[in-house]
Amino acid sequence: MINSDRPMPPLEGAEHRWVTVRGARLHIAESGSGEPVVLLHGFPQHWYAWRALVPLLTDGHRLICVDLRGFGWSEQTRRGYDTDGLGDDILALLDELGLDRVTLVGHNWGAGVGFRLCQRAPDRFRAFLALNMAHPWTRHRDVLPNLWRMWYTAFIEYPVLGRLVLRHWPAFTRYLLRRAVADPTAWRDADLTEFAGAAQASAHAGQAMFWQYVVRDIPAGFRGTHRRRLTVPTLVLGGEHDPVIPPALLRGGDPNADDLTVRVVPGAGHHLHEERPELVAEALRKLIAGAG
C-alpha cells in the first residue's frame, strides 16, 4: 500500500520518483547535482524533514532524500522494518540508482540504520553524518541511568496498541516533536501538522519499526552482535539539551572506530536539522572535504 492519499508538501527544485527494491516501492526526493548524498529521516518524519537543509547544500551536491519503507510516500509492507532490513533497502536502492559510493546522513532512526550500513558495507560510503543518535558501542553504565527517557516508546512499540496510538492520537506525535527540541518555536504549526498526519498514515510501519528494535536489536546489543568496527569517517552531532539521546550516550565510541568524531551542539535538542540547519550543512561540507 502506498501512502499516496496525502498531498506531497512542496519543496522548490525537488524531483520525486519511486524505485522498487526488495518488494517495496520507495519514494525519493532529489535536489541539486554533484557529490551524491543520501539522507535518511528519523521517526516520525519523512523526506520533508530535510526541507531546511536541502537549499543549503544543492550547490555541488546531489541530495537524495529517501522515505524509508512504509514512511512518507513509500510503500507499506507487512514486514521488513528491522534495522538490517531497512539497511538492505538502502543498499538495493543505491544499486538501482547506479551509485557505487555515497555520503550518508541520518537522523534518529535513520542514523541507526546508517551506523549498521557503514559497518556492513563500508565500501559503499564515503563518509557518514549521524544526527541525534547513539553509536553502537554505548556503555551499559551510560544507558541504564537514561532508560527513563524512552518512556514514550511503550505507547508505540506494542502491536495493535502502537498502531492505534499513532493512527488515532496525533496530539501525542505533536507532543513528542515539541518536547524534543530545545526551543519549541523551531517548529511551524504546519510542520507539526504534516508530521503528525504522516505518523497516522504510516502507523503500521512506525509500530513495526519500534517492535523490531525491541525483539531484535536490544537482545543483539546485549550479545554484542552489532559491535563491528566502524571504518567509515563518521561525525556524530548531538544536542546539549536532547531529551532522548543526551550527550552521555555519545561517549565511548573511539576505540571501536578508525575515524569517529563526536560534537555536542550547545543549546540544541533532538532535531538538529530543524534547529541548526546551517550548522549541520557546514559540518557536512567539512566532513566530505576531509574524507577526500
Side-chain angles (χ1 to χ4, degrees), residues 19 38 103 130 135 147 177 197 282:
V19 181
V38 171
T103 296
H135 53 70
L147 283 177
L177 289 166
E282 183 60 24

mmCIF file of all heavy atoms in Angstrom, residues 19 38 103 130 135 147 177 197 282:
data_model
loop_
_atom_site.group_PDB
_atom_site.id
_atom_site.type_symbol
_atom_site.label_atom_id
_atom_site.label_comp_id
_atom_site.label_asym_id
_atom_site.label_seq_id
_atom_site.Cartn_x
_atom_site.Cartn_y
_atom_site.Cartn_z
ATOM 1 N N VAL A 19 11.208 4.052 -6.688
ATOM 2 C CA VAL A 19 12.115 2.993 -7.122
ATOM 3 C C VAL A 19 11.731 1.719 -6.375
ATOM 4 O O VAL A 19 11.607 1.728 -5.141
ATOM 5 C CB VAL A 19 13.583 3.348 -6.821
ATOM 6 C CG1 VAL A 19 14.513 2.236 -7.307
ATOM 7 C CG2 VAL A 19 13.958 4.695 -7.463
ATOM 8 N N VAL A 38 22.983 10.706 0.422
ATOM 9 C CA VAL A 38 21.724 10.049 0.746
ATOM 10 C C VAL A 38 21.339 10.432 2.171
ATOM 11 O O VAL A 38 22.145 10.318 3.103
ATOM 12 C CB VAL A 38 21.844 8.522 0.616
ATOM 13 C CG1 VAL A 38 20.599 7.822 1.157
ATOM 14 C CG2 VAL A 38 22.073 8.139 -0.850
ATOM 15 N N THR A 103 27.931 9.675 0.237
ATOM 16 C CA THR A 103 27.977 10.170 1.608
ATOM 17 C C THR A 103 26.602 9.936 2.220
ATOM 18 O O THR A 103 25.570 10.092 1.552
ATOM 19 C CB THR A 103 28.333 11.661 1.630
ATOM 20 O OG1 THR A 103 29.652 11.828 1.115
ATOM 21 C CG2 THR A 103 28.278 12.222 3.048
ATOM 22 N N ALA A 130 25.927 11.421 11.457
ATOM 23 C CA ALA A 130 24.840 10.907 12.289
ATOM 24 C C ALA A 130 24.336 12.013 13.207
ATOM 25 O O ALA A 130 25.119 12.607 13.952
ATOM 26 C CB ALA A 130 25.314 9.712 13.116
ATOM 27 N N HIS A 135 25.969 5.865 19.108
ATOM 28 C CA HIS A 135 26.715 4.892 18.304
ATOM 29 C C HIS A 135 26.471 3.482 18.860
ATOM 30 O O HIS A 135 25.899 3.315 19.949
ATOM 31 C CB HIS A 135 28.204 5.244 18.323
ATOM 32 C CG HIS A 135 28.773 5.412 19.690
ATOM 33 N ND1 HIS A 135 28.945 4.355 20.561
ATOM 34 C CD2 HIS A 135 29.196 6.520 20.370
ATOM 35 C CE1 HIS A 135 29.456 4.780 21.691
ATOM 36 N NE2 HIS A 135 29.603 6.099 21.610
ATOM 37 N N LEU A 147 17.487 5.183 30.667
ATOM 38 C CA LEU A 147 16.397 4.393 30.093
ATOM 39 C C LEU A 147 15.042 5.077 30.255
ATOM 40 O O LEU A 147 14.149 4.920 29.416
ATOM 41 C CB LEU A 147 16.365 3.006 30.743
ATOM 42 C CG LEU A 147 17.419 2.006 30.263
ATOM 43 C CD1 LEU A 147 17.294 0.709 31.050
ATOM 44 C CD2 LEU A 147 17.290 1.744 28.773
ATOM 45 N N LEU A 177 7.222 15.727 19.191
ATOM 46 C CA LEU A 177 8.038 16.625 18.377
ATOM 47 C C LEU A 177 8.355 17.914 19.127
ATOM 48 O O LEU A 177 9.495 18.385 19.117
ATOM 49 C CB LEU A 177 7.321 16.936 17.064
ATOM 50 C CG LEU A 177 7.244 15.795 16.055
ATOM 51 C CD1 LEU A 177 6.239 16.109 14.950
ATOM 52 C CD2 LEU A 177 8.623 15.515 15.457
ATOM 53 N N GLY A 197 0.289 13.990 10.789
ATOM 54 C CA GLY A 197 -0.510 13.301 9.780
ATOM 55 C C GLY A 197 0.245 12.164 9.136
ATOM 56 O O GLY A 197 -0.323 11.102 8.849
ATOM 57 N N GLU A 282 27.216 23.018 7.245
ATOM 58 C CA GLU A 282 28.640 23.303 7.284
ATOM 59 C C GLU A 282 29.424 22.083 7.767
ATOM 60 O O GLU A 282 30.504 21.766 7.244
ATOM 61 C CB GLU A 282 28.914 24.494 8.193
ATOM 62 C CG GLU A 282 30.372 24.935 8.248
ATOM 63 C CD GLU A 282 30.927 25.355 6.897
ATOM 64 O OE1 GLU A 282 30.133 25.744 6.007
ATOM 65 O OE2 GLU A 282 32.163 25.291 6.715
#
